[in-house]
Amino acid sequence: MAHVSVNNARKDYGAFKAIKGVSVDIGDGEFVVLVGPSGCGKSTLLRMIAGLEGITSGQIQIGKHIVNELAPKDRDIAMVFQNYALYPHMTVAKNMGFSLRLKRMPRTEIDQRVGNAAKILGLESLLERYPKQLSGGQRQRVAMGRAIVRDPAVFLFDEPLSNLDAKLRVQMRSEIKELHQRLQTTTIYVTHDQIEAMTMADKIVVMKDGLIEQSGSPLELYDRPNNLFVAGFIGSPAMNFISGNMTEDGFRTADGLLLPSERRPPEAVTYGIRPEHLRLDPGGIEVTTVVVEPTGSETLLIARLGTQTLTCVFRDRIRAAPGEVLRIAPIHDAVHLFAGDEQRITSGEAPLN
Ligand SMILES: Nc1ncnc2c1ncn2[C@@H]1O[C@H](COP(=O)(O)OP(=O)(O)OP(=O)(O)O)[C@@H](O)[C@H]1O
Ligand SMILES: [Mg+2]
């Protein structure tokens, strides 16, 4: 096991700056998720850590060693990719043991490690099958098995679940998490799926345009996003953003509607409220129903607040016809205000419930 430190790392592809100075510390045994929109540099950063991509400047340390100049095979890492091509002509057992055979490890030890990994992953009965005889989830597990047998100091995952259907993703998500709890191997996991990030990570690193926007525990990012980008990226359905101004009376939407908030000096701000922090309230503000979507466990309401659109999630079942007027109110402590520079300016903390 090992900690990983990335210190002011940069990656230029010609004139294009893919990674613009990134520093992140990943503790020994920690499960860190790199998340961000397509093209923000997640895979590039992971590949730099793996040694599959040279770094333009900065330093990468794995355990005690600065690895900038080390070849991938000497970094004591194992990587699982989105397209984890298995060798079609090899059985599951052979696929899993292949890297060890390349290292000329004795046969008995290879068998032992493959057997062990197969047990962990529930692949014992499939060891003699070929990849084409496996389901997508089973293939995925074989790809993880190939990484596990190497017993690396660090696992690197690049969107390993994105080829699986929704149900299997959820199942594999918890399997990977459980695997981590069992092996306690330092893990860096890339995804653009914020739910995967929220549910799996000890620490989330949110990236955008080659930079880190914020890093912290899932609930830290959820409750105290630094800026509009993180606030909008983390959480599903996404936080509502209402544009308007702080006035003498409080926050007024662009349509002049008054919403409860803390008092601040006059300036243009964005008012942020998560869908689950809005309540039906007879004394609340009027919104016009656009659509009501019952999911069984909760009810999603899309409504118009003046000319702006609000998404609300209620625990209760409600009925409302399109055009019907409802009254809603935000939970006061859960209101976020963002200044013109998109930084969060309220100290308020959303309740953890
Ligand atoms: N070999 C390359 N040459 C030039 N530009 C590259 C190269 N590899 C990546 N890029 C660019 O670097 C940026 C970051 O790419 P990267 O693959 O790291 O994104 P990502 O965050 O993993 O996105 P995705 O979620 O789509 O996988 C992109 O704009 C991409 O076009
Ligand atoms: Mg990628």
Side-chain angles (χ1 to χ4, degrees):
M1 298 220 288
H3 79 277
V4 176
S5 283
V6 176
N7 197 352
N8 202 16
R10 290 169 194 274
K11 177 72 190 178
D12 300 347
Y13 291 111
F16 178 73
K17 297 184 186 325
I19 299 291
K20 303 173 182 168
V22 159
S23 298
V24 58
D25 271 313
I26 295 155
D28 192 8
E30 207 171 21
F31 195 115
V32 170
V33 176
L34 304 181
V35 71
S38 185
C40 71
K42 305 177 296 293
S43 295
T44 303
L45 182 59
L46 198 72
R47 293 168 59 82
M48 288 158 75
I49 296 170
L52 298 170
E53 207 70 76
I55 80 172
T56 305
S57 67
Q59 204 176 58
I60 295 176
Q61 187 173 348
I62 300 177
K64 294 193 183 72
H65 308 287
I66 308 288
V67 298
N68 286 25
E69 305 299 329
L70 282 187
K73 68 177 174 47
D74 298 324
R75 294 191 181 197
D76 202 8
I77 48 128
M79 188 150 168
V80 180
F81 298 92
Q82 172 181 351
N83 297 311
Y84 43 83
L86 303 175
Y87 301 108
H89 58 288
M90 287 185 197
T91 61
V92 166
K94 288 262 159 50
N95 261 289
M96 281 166 60
F98 186 65
S99 67
L100 306 182
R101 285 209 300 285
L102 284 184
K103 281 203 216 165
R104 303 192 181 284
M105 190 177 277
R107 174 79 189 272
T108 49
E109 192 177 347
I110 296 178
D111 288 349
Q112 197 190 350
R113 287 195 183 202
V114 168
N116 214 353
K119 200 153 117 199
I120 290 173
L121 294 164
L123 291 170
E124 287 159 297
S125 61
L126 305 176
L127 283 173
E128 295 314 313
R129 289 216 198 158
Y130 288 87
K132 66 169 190 289
Q133 301 169 307
L134 302 175
S135 72
Q138 290 164 341
R139 277 182 220 156
Q140 221 305 318
R141 254 173 264 166
V142 176
M144 290 205 292
R146 285 199 304 204
I148 290 173
V149 294
R150 297 171 57 190
D151 190 23
V154 182
F155 283 129
L156 304 176
F157 290 97
D158 193 354
E159 310 227 20
L161 306 185
S162 51
N163 287 335
L164 304 180
D165 66 40
K167 195 169 164 213
L168 204 48
R169 283 180 78 124
V170 173
Q171 184 191 334
M172 290 302 299
R173 197 159 86 191
S174 40
E175 284 188 19
I176 293 178
K177 185 80 192 154
E178 198 191 314
L179 185 71
H180 176 256
Q181 275 155 10
R182 177 138 34 142
L183 302 178
Q184 298 283 316
T185 306
T186 309
T187 301
I188 310 176
Y189 185 103
V190 164
T191 179
H192 59 260
D193 179 338
Q194 60 87 27
I195 296 185
E196 235 166 78
M198 287 297 283
T199 52
M200 298 176 90
D202 295 321
K203 181 159 88 189
I204 298 180
V205 176
V206 181
M207 295 180 64
K208 183 186 159 211
D209 295 339
L211 286 170
I212 293 178
E213 292 283 316
Q214 189 173 359
S215 63
S217 74
L219 290 182
E220 263 165 39
L221 298 200
Y222 192 82
D223 290 344
R224 287 175 291 261
N226 280 346
N227 55 41
L228 270 181
F229 178 78
V230 175
F233 195 81
I234 299 287
S236 174
M239 187 185 284
N240 292 295
F241 294 133
I242 304 160
S243 55
N245 293 282
M246 292 310 305
T247 68
E248 307 241 306
D249 322 320
F251 175 81
R252 276 196 189 275
T253 71
D255 305 302
L257 302 167
L258 196 60
L259 289 183
S261 82
E262 65 181 73
R263 293 303 167 98
R264 296 196 59 86
E267 68 172 314
V269 296
T270 300
Y271 184 102
I273 184 80
R274 293 201 181 275
E276 66 275 27
H277 293 148
L278 291 162
R279 299 274 187 267
L280 288 170
D281 181 340
I285 187 159
E286 286 190 353
V287 298
T288 309
T289 305
V290 177
V291 66
V292 173
E293 297 176 356
T295 66
S297 59
E298 48 197 22
T299 309
L300 193 80
L301 167 76
I302 315 278
R304 220 62 84 218
L305 170 73
T307 56
Q308 307 193 52
T309 302
L310 271 188
T311 304
C312 313
V313 173
F314 303 123
R315 284 278 172 76
D316 314 311
R317 298 188 173 183
I318 63 156
R319 280 171 201 278
E324 197 172 323
V325 172
L326 301 172
R327 285 179 175 273
I328 59 164
I331 295 175
H332 203 275
D333 292 345
V335 172
H336 305 269
L337 295 174
F338 300 89
D341 63 359
E342 304 197 347
Q343 298 301 304
R344 198 173 73 115
I345 48 177
T346 34
S347 52
E349 234 174 81
L352 296 177
N353 63 14

